[in-house]
Amino acid sequence: MEYRVDLTLTGHCETVSALCDLGGGRLASVSMNEIIKLWNTETGQSLNVHSGWVSSVCALGDGRVASGSWDKTIKIWSTRTGQCDLTLTGHTMGVNAVCVVDDGRVASG
């Protein structure tokens, strides 16, 4: 298989730490500049920021994404409105990884 660059998305000013396929030609990206971006092939929409480096992101399958941050939180975001629906606390250190498990729960570490 031969690969080629179809599109370059610019907008983060720091290292991108994770990408997630949202389906329908959309991607989510997170970075050290405390930004979550939703991308399509033409524009990028920025979501609200964490107070620390955003290290991970996963699609929840219901029009929302979960993001993990070094501010010790997991945030659940609406991909439709760009608003944070829920902030989960309890980690004693930064959250490096988030994923959704089969029953819809979010696992983190």
Side-chain angles (χ1 to χ4, degrees), residues 40-98:
N40 61 33
T41 57
E42 296 177 17
T43 64
Q45 173 190 1
S46 293
L47 296 180
N48 293 335
V49 299
H50 278 275
S51 62
W53 171 28
V54 185
S55 55
S56 55
V57 64
C58 72
L60 299 181
D62 62 357
R64 298 182 301 163
V65 296
S67 62
S69 174
W70 280 54
D71 67 2
K72 305 176 189 173
T73 67
I74 297 166
K75 294 188 183 246
I76 308 297
W77 302 90
S78 168
T79 60
R80 292 178 189 92
T81 66
Q83 297 300 310
C84 179
D85 292 339
L86 180 65
T87 299
L88 303 170
T89 60
H91 279 273
T92 58
M93 297 174 58
V95 180
N96 286 313
V98 293

Coordinates of all heavy atoms in Angstrom, one line a residue, residues 40-98:
N40 N -12.6 18.7 10.6 CA -13.1 18.1 9.4 C -12.2 18.5 8.3 O -11.1 19.0 8.5 CB -14.6 18.5 9.1 CG -14.8 20.0 8.9 OD1 -13.9 20.6 8.4 ND2 -15.9 20.5 9.3
T41 N -12.5 18.2 7.1 CA -11.6 18.4 6.0 C -11.4 19.9 5.6 O -10.5 20.2 4.8 CB -12.0 17.6 4.7 OG1 -13.3 18.0 4.4 CG2 -11.9 16.1 5.0
E42 N -12.2 20.8 6.2 CA -12.1 22.2 5.9 C -11.7 23.1 7.0 O -11.0 24.1 6.9 CB -13.4 22.7 5.3 CG -13.8 22.0 4.0 CD -15.1 22.4 3.4 OE1 -15.6 23.4 3.9 OE2 -15.6 21.7 2.6
T43 N -12.3 22.8 8.2 CA -12.1 23.7 9.3 C -11.8 23.0 10.6 O -12.0 21.8 10.7 CB -13.3 24.6 9.6 OG1 -14.4 23.8 10.0 CG2 -13.7 25.4 8.4
G44 N -11.2 23.7 11.6 CA -11.0 23.1 12.9 C -11.8 23.9 14.0 O -11.8 25.1 13.9
Q45 N -12.5 23.2 14.8 CA -13.3 23.9 15.9 C -12.6 23.6 17.2 O -12.4 22.5 17.6 CB -14.7 23.4 16.0 CG -15.5 23.9 17.1 CD -16.8 23.2 17.3 OE1 -17.2 22.3 16.6 NE2 -17.6 23.6 18.3
S46 N -12.2 24.7 18.0 CA -11.5 24.5 19.2 C -12.6 24.3 20.3 O -13.5 25.1 20.4 CB -10.6 25.7 19.6 OG -9.6 25.7 18.7
L47 N -12.3 23.4 21.2 CA -13.2 23.2 22.4 C -12.5 24.0 23.5 O -11.4 24.5 23.4 CB -13.3 21.8 22.8 CG -14.0 20.8 21.8 CD1 -14.0 19.4 22.4 CD2 -15.4 21.3 21.5
N48 N -13.2 24.1 24.7 CA -12.7 24.8 25.9 C -11.4 24.0 26.3 O -11.2 22.9 25.9 CB -13.7 24.8 27.0 CG -14.9 25.7 26.6 OD1 -14.8 26.6 25.8 ND2 -16.0 25.4 27.2
V49 N -10.7 24.7 27.2 CA -9.4 24.2 27.6 C -9.4 23.5 28.9 O -10.2 23.8 29.8 CB -8.3 25.3 27.5 CG1 -8.2 25.8 26.2 CG2 -8.6 26.3 28.5
H50 N -8.5 22.6 29.1 CA -8.1 22.1 30.4 C -7.2 23.0 31.1 O -6.7 24.0 30.4 CB -7.4 20.7 30.3 CG -8.3 19.5 30.1 ND1 -8.8 18.9 31.1 CD2 -8.7 18.9 29.0 CE1 -9.5 17.8 30.7 NE2 -9.5 17.8 29.3
S51 N -6.9 22.8 32.3 CA -5.9 23.7 33.0 C -4.5 23.1 32.9 O -3.5 23.6 33.5 CB -6.2 24.0 34.4 OG -6.3 22.8 35.1
G52 N -4.3 22.0 32.2 CA -3.0 21.3 32.1 C -3.0 20.6 30.7 O -3.9 20.5 30.0
W53 N -1.8 20.1 30.5 CA -1.5 19.4 29.2 C -2.6 18.3 29.0 O -2.8 17.4 29.8 CB -0.1 18.8 29.3 CG 0.2 17.9 28.1 CD1 -0.3 17.9 26.9 CD2 1.2 16.8 28.2 NE1 0.3 16.9 26.1 CE2 1.2 16.2 26.9 CE3 2.0 16.3 29.2 CZ2 2.0 15.1 26.6 CZ3 2.8 15.2 28.9 CH2 2.8 14.7 27.6
V54 N -3.3 18.3 27.8 CA -4.2 17.3 27.5 C -3.5 16.2 26.8 O -2.9 16.4 25.8 CB -5.4 17.9 26.6 CG1 -6.4 16.8 26.3 CG2 -6.0 19.1 27.2
S55 N -3.5 15.0 27.4 CA -2.7 13.9 27.0 C -3.4 12.8 26.2 O -2.8 12.0 25.5 CB -2.0 13.3 28.2 OG -3.0 12.9 29.2
S56 N -4.7 12.7 26.3 CA -5.4 11.6 25.7 C -6.9 12.0 25.3 O -7.4 12.9 25.9 CB -5.4 10.4 26.6 OG -6.0 10.8 27.8
V57 N -7.4 11.3 24.3 CA -8.8 11.5 23.9 C -9.4 10.2 23.3 O -8.6 9.4 22.8 CB -8.9 12.7 22.9 CG1 -8.1 12.3 21.6 CG2 -10.3 13.1 22.6
C58 N -10.7 10.0 23.6 CA -11.3 8.9 22.9 C -12.8 9.2 22.6 O -13.4 10.0 23.3 CB -11.3 7.6 23.8 SG -12.3 7.6 25.3
A59 N -13.3 8.6 21.6 CA -14.7 8.8 21.2 C -15.6 7.9 22.0 O -15.3 6.8 22.2 CB -14.9 8.5 19.7
L60 N -16.7 8.5 22.5 CA -17.6 7.7 23.4 C -18.7 7.1 22.5 O -19.5 6.3 23.0 CB -18.2 8.6 24.5 CG -17.2 9.1 25.5 CD1 -17.9 10.0 26.5 CD2 -16.3 8.0 26.1
G61 N -18.8 7.5 21.3 CA -19.8 6.9 20.4 C -21.2 7.5 20.5 O -22.1 7.0 19.8
D62 N -21.4 8.5 21.3 CA -22.7 9.1 21.5 C -22.7 10.6 21.2 O -23.4 11.4 21.7 CB -23.2 8.8 22.9 CG -22.3 9.4 24.0 OD1 -21.3 10.0 23.7 OD2 -22.7 9.3 25.2
G63 N -21.7 11.0 20.4 CA -21.6 12.4 20.1 C -20.7 13.2 21.1 O -20.7 14.4 21.1
R64 N -20.0 12.4 21.9 CA -19.1 13.0 22.9 C -17.8 12.4 22.9 O -17.6 11.3 22.3 CB -19.7 12.9 24.3 CG -21.1 13.6 24.5 CD -21.6 13.5 25.9 NE -21.8 12.1 26.3 CZ -21.9 11.7 27.6 NH1 -21.9 12.5 28.5 NH2 -22.1 10.4 27.8
V65 N -16.8 13.1 23.4 CA -15.4 12.6 23.6 C -15.0 12.7 25.0 O -15.5 13.6 25.7 CB -14.4 13.3 22.7 CG1 -14.7 13.0 21.2 CG2 -14.3 14.8 23.0
A66 N -14.1 11.9 25.5 CA -13.5 12.0 26.8 C -12.1 12.4 26.6 O -11.4 11.9 25.7 CB -13.6 10.6 27.5
S67 N -11.6 13.3 27.4 CA -10.2 13.7 27.4 C -9.6 13.6 28.8 O -10.2 13.8 29.8 CB -10.1 15.1 26.8 OG -10.7 16.0 27.7
G68 N -8.3 13.2 28.8 CA -7.6 13.1 30.0 C -6.5 14.1 30.0 O -5.9 14.5 29.0
S69 N -6.2 14.7 31.2 CA -5.2 15.8 31.3 C -4.3 15.6 32.5 O -4.6 14.9 33.5 CB -6.0 17.1 31.4 OG -5.2 18.2 31.6
W70 N -3.2 16.3 32.4 CA -2.3 16.4 33.5 C -2.8 17.2 34.7 O -2.2 17.3 35.7 CB -0.9 16.9 33.1 CG -0.2 15.8 32.4 CD1 -0.6 15.0 31.3 CD2 1.1 15.4 32.7 NE1 0.4 14.2 31.0 CE2 1.5 14.3 31.8 CE3 2.1 15.8 33.6 CZ2 2.7 13.7 31.8 CZ3 3.3 15.1 33.7 CH2 3.6 14.1 32.8
D71 N -4.0 17.8 34.5 CA -4.6 18.6 35.6 C -5.4 17.6 36.5 O -6.1 18.0 37.4 CB -5.5 19.7 35.2 CG -6.8 19.2 34.4 OD1 -7.0 18.0 34.3 OD2 -7.6 20.1 34.0
K72 N -5.2 16.3 36.3 CA -5.8 15.2 37.1 C -7.3 15.0 36.9 O -7.9 14.4 37.7 CB -5.5 15.4 38.6 CG -4.0 15.6 38.9 CD -3.9 15.9 40.4 CE -2.5 16.2 40.7 NZ -2.3 16.7 42.1
T73 N -7.8 15.4 35.7 CA -9.2 15.3 35.5 C -9.4 14.6 34.1 O -8.6 14.5 33.3 CB -9.9 16.6 35.4 OG1 -9.5 17.4 34.2 CG2 -9.8 17.5 36.7
I74 N -10.6 14.0 34.0 CA -11.2 13.6 32.8 C -12.4 14.4 32.5 O -13.2 14.7 33.4 CB -11.6 12.1 32.9 CG1 -10.4 11.2 33.2 CG2 -12.3 11.6 31.6 CD1 -10.8 9.8 33.6
K75 N -12.5 14.9 31.2 CA -13.6 15.8 30.9 C -14.4 15.1 29.7 O -13.8 14.5 28.8 CB -13.2 17.2 30.5 CG -12.6 17.9 31.6 CD -12.3 19.4 31.3 CE -11.6 20.0 32.5 NZ -12.5 21.1 33.1
I76 N -15.7 15.2 29.8 CA -16.6 14.7 28.8 C -17.1 15.9 28.0 O -17.7 16.8 28.6 CB -17.7 13.8 29.4 CG1 -17.2 12.8 30.4 CG2 -18.6 13.3 28.3 CD1 -16.3 11.7 29.8
W77 N -16.9 15.9 26.7 CA -17.2 17.0 25.9 C -18.2 16.6 24.8 O -18.2 15.6 24.2 CB -16.0 17.5 25.1 CG -14.8 17.9 25.9 CD1 -13.8 17.0 26.4 CD2 -14.5 19.2 26.4 NE1 -12.9 17.8 27.1 CE2 -13.3 19.1 27.2 CE3 -15.1 20.4 26.3 CZ2 -12.7 20.2 27.8 CZ3 -14.6 21.5 27.0 CH2 -13.4 21.4 27.7
S78 N -19.1 17.5 24.5 CA -20.1 17.4 23.4 C -19.4 17.8 22.1 O -18.9 18.9 22.1 CB -21.3 18.2 23.6 OG -22.1 18.3 22.5
T79 N -19.4 16.9 21.1 CA -18.8 17.3 19.9 C -19.7 18.2 19.1 O -19.3 18.8 18.1 CB -18.4 16.1 19.0 OG1 -19.6 15.3 18.8 CG2 -17.4 15.2 19.7
R80 N -21.0 18.3 19.5 CA -22.0 19.1 18.8 C -21.9 20.6 19.3 O -21.9 21.5 18.5 CB -23.4 18.6 19.0 CG -23.6 17.3 18.3 CD -25.0 16.7 18.5 NE -25.1 15.4 18.0 CZ -24.9 14.3 18.7 NH1 -24.5 14.4 20.0 NH2 -25.0 13.1 18.2
T81 N -21.8 20.8 20.6 CA -21.8 22.1 21.2 C -20.4 22.6 21.5 O -20.3 23.8 21.7 CB -22.7 22.2 22.4 OG1 -22.1 21.4 23.4 CG2 -24.1 21.6 22.1
G82 N -19.5 21.7 21.7 CA -18.2 22.2 22.2 C -18.1 22.4 23.7 O -17.1 22.9 24.2
Q83 N -19.1 22.1 24.4 CA -19.2 22.4 25.8 C -18.8 21.1 26.6 O -19.0 20.0 26.2 CB -20.6 22.8 26.3 CG -21.1 24.1 25.6 CD -20.2 25.2 26.0 OE1 -19.9 25.5 27.1 NE2 -19.8 26.0 25.0
C84 N -18.2 21.4 27.8 CA -17.8 20.3 28.7 C -19.1 19.9 29.4 O -19.7 20.7 30.1 CB -16.8 20.8 29.7 SG -16.3 19.5 30.9
D85 N -19.5 18.7 29.3 CA -20.7 18.1 29.9 C -20.4 17.7 31.4 O -21.3 17.7 32.2 CB -21.3 17.0 29.1 CG -21.9 17.4 27.8 OD1 -22.2 18.6 27.6 OD2 -22.0 16.5 26.9
L86 N -19.2 17.2 31.6 CA -18.9 16.6 32.9 C -17.4 16.6 33.1 O -16.6 16.4 32.2 CB -19.4 15.1 32.9 CG -19.2 14.3 34.1 CD1 -20.0 14.8 35.3 CD2 -19.6 12.8 33.8
T87 N -17.0 16.9 34.4 CA -15.6 16.8 34.8 C -15.5 15.7 35.9 O -16.2 15.8 36.9 CB -15.1 18.1 35.3 OG1 -15.2 19.1 34.3 CG2 -13.6 18.0 35.8
L88 N -14.7 14.7 35.6 CA -14.5 13.6 36.6 C -13.1 13.9 37.3 O -12.1 14.1 36.7 CB -14.4 12.3 35.8 CG -15.7 12.0 35.0 CD1 -15.4 10.8 34.1 CD2 -16.9 11.8 35.9
T89 N -13.2 13.8 38.6 CA -12.0 14.0 39.4 C -11.7 12.7 40.2 O -12.5 11.8 40.2 CB -12.2 15.1 40.4 OG1 -13.3 14.8 41.3 CG2 -12.4 16.4 39.7
G90 N -10.6 12.6 40.8 CA -10.2 11.5 41.7 C -8.8 11.0 41.4 O -8.3 10.3 42.3
H91 N -8.3 11.3 40.3 CA -6.9 10.9 40.0 C -5.9 11.7 40.9 O -6.2 12.9 41.2 CB -6.5 11.1 38.6 CG -6.9 10.0 37.7 ND1 -6.2 8.9 37.4 CD2 -8.1 9.9 36.9 CE1 -6.9 8.1 36.6 NE2 -8.0 8.7 36.3
T92 N -4.9 11.1 41.4 CA -3.9 11.8 42.2 C -2.7 12.3 41.4 O -1.9 13.0 41.9 CB -3.4 10.9 43.4 OG1 -2.8 9.7 42.8 CG2 -4.6 10.5 44.3
M93 N -2.7 11.8 40.2 CA -1.6 12.3 39.2 C -2.3 12.5 37.9 O -3.5 12.3 37.7 CB -0.5 11.2 39.1 CG 0.2 10.9 40.4 SD 1.4 9.6 40.4 CE 2.5 10.1 39.1
G94 N -1.5 13.0 36.9 CA -2.1 13.3 35.6 C -2.7 12.1 35.0 O -2.2 11.0 35.2
V95 N -3.7 12.3 34.1 CA -4.3 11.2 33.4 C -3.6 11.1 32.0 O -3.7 12.0 31.2 CB -5.8 11.5 33.2 CG1 -6.5 10.4 32.4 CG2 -6.5 11.7 34.5
N96 N -2.9 10.0 31.8 CA -2.2 9.8 30.6 C -3.0 9.1 29.5 O -2.7 9.2 28.3 CB -0.9 8.9 30.8 CG 0.1 9.7 31.5 OD1 0.4 10.8 31.1 ND2 0.7 9.2 32.6
A97 N -4.1 8.3 29.9 CA -4.8 7.6 28.9 C -6.3 7.5 29.3 O -6.6 7.3 30.5 CB -4.2 6.2 28.8
V98 N -7.1 7.6 28.3 CA -8.6 7.3 28.5 C -9.0 6.4 27.3 O -8.5 6.5 26.2 CB -9.4 8.6 28.5 CG1 -9.2 9.4 29.7 CG2 -9.3 9.4 27.3

